Amino acid sequence: MGATSSLAVVLDGLSTVGLDTGCEHGVPWYVAQLGGHLMAALADSGRPLSDGLEQALERVAAMHPTCDLANPGTPSATVSILRAGAEQFDYLVLADSPIVFERNGEHLVKTDLRVNTVVPELRAETERFATGTPEHTESVRRMVTAQRLTRNTAGGYWVAASNGEAANHAFTGAVPTAGISAVAVMSDGASRLVTDYGAASWSEVFATLRTAGADGLISAVRDVEATDPDGVRWPRYKRGDDAAVAFCQIS
């Protein structure tokens, strides 16, 4: 995660579940490098967000040319970018880390859920087993193996990886600043309190962010997950996912 007075970037590295990536560096390295290059590329406030992302992707790819960047499991990440301007917020989302705008007590969610449309039968299979069991672990590996074959392909879903082309498949747009009181940029490990668990409303999430900050929200997510450690009530791929939140309060 990175932020300035006008820019917020949240990246969420994709789990490899122990599968080969063809890269000697790993996902944490990839996310760190992409974040740094992305912040630098968007230092020009007039540059389109997708252009900045494309440049960052290409520059990180050039940093490890001896790795197998054609491997379908090459290190990758979701990307969410928010940039504040005088009259509008520009946003970019690539995969399922949402940006949520609060206006007059209502909430506008910008996200990219294309990953949910691929290999639905294998997604359903993982939900049959308790989280952490050998059966669950193996079913997740099968699902991720199949997902990788659709990653960054037509008809599949798109993430930041080794090819700048992914930037052209991000969802982008602008939201007028008028009436916006706050914006949250978060990984799906934080947003699932609302989207997956239904344990809070967006209004409650924003109230928590105002009073307890990002740490308070993430603690609320962990408290809910602790009531269902085996994923029986809320089937999921692991007990708790990495969580990051950037919160911008205007009023």
Side-chain angles (χ1 to χ4, degrees), residues 122-144:
L122 294 179
R123 291 173 59 87
E125 179 184 309
T126 67
E127 298 178 357
R128 294 171 44 207
F129 305 110
T131 304
T133 61
E135 294 84 0
H136 182 268
T137 299
E138 182 55 33
S139 70
V140 170
R141 285 173 61 89
R142 286 195 295 270
M143 182 193 70
V144 172

Side-chain angles (χ1 to χ4, degrees), residues 25-108:
H25 301 92
V27 174
W29 174 89
Y30 175 78
V31 170
Q33 298 302 323
L34 180 61
H37 281 280
L38 191 50
M39 295 295 290
L42 294 176
D44 175 0
S45 62
R47 185 174 200 171
L49 299 181
S50 56
D51 285 1
L53 176 57
E54 183 175 13
Q55 176 182 297
L57 289 171
E58 291 174 349
R59 289 190 173 179
V60 175
M63 294 176 68
H64 57 147
T66 60
C67 295
D68 179 11
L69 301 183
N71 186 304
T74 191
S76 54
T78 72
V79 181
S80 294
I81 307 171
L82 174 73
R83 183 169 62 197
E87 298 182 353
Q88 66 184 35
F89 288 98
D90 296 324
Y91 69 84
L92 178 151
V93 289
L94 186 63
D96 57 1
S97 293
I99 300 176
V100 187
F101 297 85
E102 183 177 69
R103 176 190 284 135
N104 301 324
E106 297 185 347
H107 297 88
L108 174 65

